[in-house]
């Protein structure tokens, strides 16, 4: 019985902890918004990507450079 | 990255558009992509390509190992430099009209919001740096609001249509790949209100309990809206809750329920990515703006 009550209290503690972690008050809102929307740029973001393939073809022809094409399911710049 | 900047013209695209487009963009993409191992344009052609401006494929690779990609890029650069392709004049391909369904634009008079998502915990200890990076990665997308929704938001009400779009197409775990969206009947609870510029709401999204890939996301919504002269000048939102499950292309989610957040902010149009259409609008913008 003691083990059962102990396990019950422990699961209540865990549930309460999860509820606290998921509570969205003003402070948590501001912190999370900054964490997600003001995250430092990632390395791949420093590349001057083009998103118009034909404009890039024109540029590559003029500069005599090859194209590097990052082609994904979902746009690499906005669905990653 | 310096190699890309100095010696290549780097392009990022969603190949689901280009491989289908019946226009000059699609023709050029297919011209080099068909020379690679993923030549079937009815299936995904994702990967990294190096091609000449004339459309000759020099490299295809779909390996995410940065060291291997760097080595292959150096080899492709050398191959290009020593080839005739680096010396011949190539004419720009005629553009013509772009097929409209593959070049959607945000609704006139509407709003674009940047969307970021993140798993906040629950993963097992990573076994390598790639896994560590994946576990910390941010999901990205854009949310489009219509002119009418913009006006309603500016009047201080949260438009029901925008709330449904937010939930069905953006309360998704896209941090590990292309996520499954939510069907209309999977929206169990969804409400939000604005009081003195503060947004508060609750949501629960869930697939059928006995579904093979059962998923659930439930929690709270909070945000701030500011309006000047009838124009929304700030729209910061955060959804926070417990997420469970994964999709076919988003495998290796944390086990059980894990904390998951989605944040939104008004896009100022300065970032190149602000021009990318929402993932949920792919191929069917009307279905995204007016979901059934």
């Amino acid at each position: 019985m003691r083990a059962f009550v102990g396990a019950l209290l422990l699961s209540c503690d865990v549930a309460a902890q999860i509820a606290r972690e998921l509570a969205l008050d003003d402070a948590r809102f501001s912190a999370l918004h900054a964490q997600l929307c003001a995250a430092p740029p990632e390395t791949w973001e420093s590349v001057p990507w083009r998103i118009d393939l034909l404009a890039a073809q024109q540029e590559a022809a003029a500069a005599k450079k090859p194209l590097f094409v990052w082609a994904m399911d979902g746009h690499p710049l906005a669905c990653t | 990255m310096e190699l890309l900047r100095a010696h290549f013209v780097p392009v990022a695209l969603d190949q689901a558009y280009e491989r289908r487009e019946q226009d000059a963009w699609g023709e050029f993409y297919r011209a080099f992509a068909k020379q690679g191992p993923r030549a079937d344009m009815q299936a995904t052609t994702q990967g990294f390509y190096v091609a000449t401006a004339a459309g000759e494929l020099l490299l295809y690779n779909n390996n995410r190992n940065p060291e291997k990609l760097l080595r292959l890029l150096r080899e492709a650069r050398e191959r290009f430099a020593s080839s005739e392709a680096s010396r011949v004049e190539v004419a720009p391909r005629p553009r013509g009209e772009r097929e409209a369904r593959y070049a959607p634009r945000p609704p006139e008079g509407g709003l674009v919001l940047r969307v970021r998502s993140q798993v906040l915990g629950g993963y097992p200890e990573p076994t390598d740096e790639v896994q560590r990076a994946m576990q910390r990665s941010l999901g990205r997308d854009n949310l489009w609001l219509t002119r009418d929704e913009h006006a309603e938001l500016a009047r201080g009400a949260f438009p029901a249509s925008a709330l449904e779009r937010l939930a069905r197409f953006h309360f998704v775990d896209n941090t590990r790949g292309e996520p499954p969206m939510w069907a209309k009947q999977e929206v169990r609870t969804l409400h939000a209100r604005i009081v003195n510029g503060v947004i508060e709401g609750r949501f629960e999204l869930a697939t059928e309990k006995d579904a093979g890939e059962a998923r659930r996301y439930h929690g709270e919504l909070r945000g701030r809206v500011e309006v000047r002269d009838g124009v929304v000048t700030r729209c910061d939102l955060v959804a926070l809750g417990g997420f469970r499950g994964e999709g076919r292309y988003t495998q290796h989610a944390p086990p059980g329920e894990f904390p998951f957040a989605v944040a939104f902010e008004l896009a100022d149009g300065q970032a190149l990515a602000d021009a990318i259409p929402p993932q949920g609008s792919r191929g069917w913008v009307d279905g995204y703006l007016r979901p059934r």
Side-chain angles (χ1 to χ4, degrees):
Chain A
M1 186 64 181
R2 268 199 297 268
F4 170 75
V5 171
L8 187 67
L9 290 174
L10 184 63
S11 72
C12 287
D13 275 356
V14 170
Q17 188 188 343
I18 290 171
R20 275 196 302 276
E21 281 176 6
L22 298 182
L24 189 54
D25 59 14
D26 229 20
R28 185 89 163 117
F29 158 73
S30 298
L32 274 176
H33 196 270
Q35 180 181 325
L36 272 68
C37 291
E42 296 182 50
T43 315
W44 60 265
E45 292 181 80
S46 67
V47 174
W49 297 105
R50 281 70 162 169
I51 57 174
D52 182 323
L53 182 61
L54 284 193
Q57 186 269 341
Q58 185 171 353
E59 193 182 337
K64 292 194 165 51
K65 288 181 180 179
L67 293 149
F68 173 80
V69 182
W70 184 14
M72 298 300 287
D73 269 316
H75 202 290
L77 304 187
C79 180
T80 48
Chain B
M1 297 300 159
E2 190 51 42
L3 181 71
L4 281 183
R5 268 193 293 268
H7 300 286
F8 294 86
V9 176
V11 188
L13 53 84
D14 181 349
Q15 54 77 46
Y17 285 68
E18 268 79 357
R19 71 180 157 88
R20 293 185 171 99
E21 283 182 56
Q22 296 305 312
D23 55 26
W25 284 259
E27 281 167 22
F28 182 54
Y29 179 75
R30 289 189 294 275
F32 63 79
K34 278 187 169 180
Q35 298 167 48
R38 290 188 157 174
D40 177 6
M41 295 296 129
Q42 303 306 312
T44 181
T45 57
Q46 77 166 6
F48 299 107
Y49 296 84
V50 174
T52 68
E56 181 193 350
L57 183 67
L58 301 176
L59 166 71
Y60 169 81
N61 180 255
N62 195 30
N63 190 296
R64 310 287 170 87
N65 181 323
E67 287 166 12
K68 182 176 179 186
L69 184 59
L70 186 61
R71 178 173 55 78
L72 291 172
L73 276 180
R74 286 190 177 124
E75 288 171 9
R77 178 192 150 205
E78 284 167 17
R79 204 154 57 248
F80 178 76
S82 61
S83 74
E84 192 67 17
S86 65
R87 291 180 287 278
V88 297
E89 294 295 327
V90 178
R93 292 177 76 100
R95 293 170 69 87
E97 283 289 310
R98 192 157 193 184
E99 204 179 346
R101 68 182 293 201
Y102 295 115
R105 295 188 173 280
E108 207 164 313
L111 294 172
V112 177
L113 273 74
R114 295 175 187 147
V115 188
R116 302 287 183 267
S117 61
Q118 195 169 41
V119 173
L120 303 176
Y123 277 117
E125 193 61 28
T127 54
D128 57 37
E129 286 309 307
V130 174
Q131 202 176 72
R132 187 184 303 278
M134 182 67 92
Q135 292 183 0
R136 290 177 178 170
S137 70
L138 281 181
R140 295 156 192 267
D141 201 353
N142 290 321
L143 162 71
W144 285 357
L145 299 187
T146 65
R147 179 196 295 270
D148 288 348
E149 290 164 350
H150 180 184
E152 196 173 339
L153 200 58
R155 288 195 297 270
F158 206 109
S161 53
L163 187 59
E164 183 182 339
R165 189 176 316 122
L166 208 76
R168 287 186 53 194
F169 300 111
H170 297 283
F171 287 0
V172 293
D173 180 4
N174 59 348
T175 59
R176 296 175 305 282
E178 231 186 336
M181 308 288 172
W182 299 97
K184 197 176 186 76
Q185 68 273 16
E186 292 168 350
V187 180
R188 313 288 173 165
T189 306
L190 183 61
H191 57 82
R193 61 177 190 161
I194 304 175
V195 179
N196 296 325
V198 176
I199 301 169
E200 289 177 331
R202 295 201 70 83
F203 60 91
E204 183 190 1
L205 310 159
T207 56
E208 295 296 330
K209 280 178 184 163
D210 57 354
E213 294 177 346
R215 288 174 289 115
R216 182 175 184 236
Y217 185 34
H218 64 108
E220 290 180 64
L221 181 65
R222 193 169 184 86
R224 299 263 179 198
V225 180
E226 290 173 8
V227 180
R228 191 179 305 144
D229 300 327
V231 174
V232 172
T233 55
R234 179 188 179 192
C235 187
D236 291 342
L237 277 167
V238 171
L240 174 65
F243 200 110
R244 178 187 292 273
E246 60 190 19
R248 187 175 174 189
Y249 304 112
T250 59
Q251 291 178 2
H252 308 298
E257 185 169 287
F258 53 91
F260 182 71
V262 187
F264 301 79
E265 68 170 348
L266 215 52
D268 58 10
Q270 297 300 306
L272 192 63
D274 291 345
I276 308 296
Q279 175 73 2
S281 77
R282 196 163 74 172
W284 193 35
V285 175
D286 270 1
Y288 171 79
L289 292 176
R290 282 172 283 278
R292 291 171 192 160

